[in-house]
Amino acid sequence: MKKFPLLAILFSAFFIKAQEKQQNETATYKKRVLESTEVDFLMSYYAQDGDNAAVTGGVGTEELTDVTPTIVVSIPLNDDDVLSIDAGVSAYSSASSSNVNPFDGNVLANPFVASSGASESDILVTVSTNYSHSSDDRDKIWSANLAIASEYDYFSLGFGGSYTRLFNEKNTELSVKANVFLDTWKTIYPSELRDQPTFTPFNNKSRNSYSVGFDFSQILSKKLQGSLSLDFIQQQGLLSTPFQRVQFADIADVVIQEFTYADDVERLPDSRLKIAMGGRLHYYISEIFTVRTFYRYYTDDWGVKSHTTSIEIPIKITDKFTIYPSYRFYKQTAADYFAPFNQHLSTQQFYTSDYDLSDFEANQYGFGISYTDIFTKFHIWKLGLKSIDLRFRQYDRNSGLSATLFSSGFSFVVD
């Protein structure tokens, strides 16, 4: 009979231990941040034209085309960690940049005609990686990123990270991000200035950019979500583009064939502080309609101030198809150093005729359609099709620049 209390104690201990193990297994179960490897194939085609090319001093063709294929692979390393690799190639052809040397083609030198020289086209290669880690309760997320970009006259190395904290049963989100980009130029000057003894080349051929951003997001109700953002960017180094011409009003023009020689290249301060603040509101009207609005105010110490507003209205046509009509308006003031073709003075310290730094307004109209299948029924080899996204955007400035962008994205899940 004395054995029964001992057996009871041993049985109780075993039962308690088994119960604790079961509770621990239940407590440690968590949904993976990313269930399976995902592969995105992206493609965009961009075309623009206008009559204010900075390469030729603010007049001339701005015709440019750019094709950018990109692949993004997101890999779940475990329940909490995801590694993403983004690789892309941007292949462009530019009539304006061909006029860095307007006399190396087979046509009469003219700012409105491409010279068809070696600088007419180029390829930019970019590769970036991002590693993110989520806490067990998914309330804390931190990430680190590294990026490299290279083309024939430019190399960039970037790195940074972010931290996100969720509160209030994940209804409130705060995040901070920081990035550094270290860029190096191969300075290429307009052909007529390269052997000119009075021309002063740039000594500094590097440009460093440092950015810090803060984001706040809040679910305000079952149908309304809002967010606020604040970004600071400090740039230092060579912020001028070495092959963009400037002609002075107080110096007699030198015209060869139909081309006006540069008196100098664009010269801008070696530092620039940019500040941008904005907000978003997303309102769920019904199962069919949603409204997404955005506003941003931007200012910098070069005198540029801008306002951006946009609206997008996703319309769910069926369970799998959604269309996206959108509109964006942009307005900015001119930089302190901007003047049109042949209106700068040689006594000025800084000057540019780049119309990206001019006073202008722009409208952008967009339309998109997306297909989503969460069950990935359609397969190509081991890739299950998750979604297709097709977009069109038309951009027009009141300065005459017009641009068209077609983009597509195909998202797959690896079985």
Side-chain angles (χ1 to χ4, degrees), residues 250-323:
D250 56 341
I251 295 179
D253 291 341
V254 176
V255 180
I256 304 298
Q257 296 182 18
E258 296 177 353
F259 195 91
T260 303
Y261 271 16
D263 294 315
D264 200 359
V265 296
E266 170 185 83
R267 296 190 186 271
L268 294 168
D270 59 4
S271 68
R272 187 180 188 183
L273 175 62
K274 305 177 181 180
I275 302 173
M277 57 194 77
R280 298 179 184 272
L281 278 177
H282 294 178
Y283 185 71
Y284 175 84
I285 299 175
S286 67
E287 292 184 358
I288 298 176
F289 295 99
T290 303
V291 177
R292 300 172 181 171
T293 61
F294 170 76
Y295 170 78
R296 183 184 66 184
Y297 173 75
Y298 166 91
T299 183
D300 64 31
D301 55 2
W302 286 8
V304 177
K305 302 182 188 306
S306 71
H307 301 271
T308 306
T309 59
S310 69
I311 182 171
E312 183 180 66
I313 306 176
I315 304 171
K316 194 170 184 179
I317 304 301
T318 68
D319 290 341
K320 294 184 178 181
F321 288 94
T322 303
I323 61 174

Side-chain angles (χ1 to χ4, degrees), residues 361-385:
E361 296 180 3
N363 294 279
Q364 178 179 283
Y365 306 90
F367 182 82
I369 184 169
S370 69
Y371 165 85
T372 303
D373 181 4
I374 60 174
F375 300 108
T376 62
K377 293 181 179 180
F378 180 78
H379 280 71
I380 299 177
W381 190 49
K382 293 184 178 182
L383 301 178
L385 180 61

Side-chain angles (χ1 to χ4, degrees), residues 50-65:
D51 297 324
N52 299 115
V55 175
T56 45
V59 297
T61 178
E62 295 178 87
E63 184 180 356
L64 178 148
T65 59

Side-chain angles (χ1 to χ4, degrees), residues 230-244:
L230 177 63
D231 293 283
F232 299 90
I233 301 174
Q234 177 66 53
Q235 292 183 298
Q236 296 176 340
L238 180 55
L239 305 184
S240 308
T241 304
F243 52 77
Q244 294 189 168

Side-chain angles (χ1 to χ4, degrees), residues 30 33 78-83 130-136 138-144 162-164:
K30 53 192 174 185
V33 175
N78 50 49
D79 289 348
D80 306 323
D81 302 326
V82 176
L83 175 67
N130 180 276
Y131 172 82
S132 66
H133 171 79
S134 299
S135 61
D136 289 340
R138 303 298 185 247
D139 285 342
K140 296 176 284 293
I141 306 167
W142 66 264
S143 70
S162 68
Y163 179 77
T164 300

Side-chain angles (χ1 to χ4, degrees), residues 395-406:
Y395 174 86
D396 296 294
R397 284 187 191 176
N398 60 355
S399 62
L401 178 68
S402 180
T404 301
L405 174 66
F406 295 93

Side-chain angles (χ1 to χ4, degrees), residues 3-72:
K3 293 181 180 179
F4 285 102
L6 179 60
L7 291 173
I9 292 172
L10 291 174
F11 179 78
S12 298
F14 176 80
F15 178 78
I16 292 171
K17 189 69 175 177
Q19 189 177 39
E20 287 178 350
K21 181 179 179 182
Q22 184 179 19
Q23 289 175 345
N24 289 337
E25 288 177 350
T26 302
T28 56
Y29 172 77
K30 53 192 174 185
K31 182 178 176 63
R32 292 168 66 92
V33 175
L34 185 65
E35 292 293 337
S36 304
T37 298
E38 295 187 358
V39 181
D40 296 329
F41 297 98
L42 312 175
M43 175 68 76
S44 68
Y45 172 79
Y46 174 84
Q48 74 170 40
D49 203 359
D51 297 324
N52 299 115
V55 175
T56 45
V59 297
T61 178
E62 295 178 87
E63 184 180 356
L64 178 148
T65 59
D66 181 89
V67 178
T68 307
T70 304
I71 182 171
V72 182

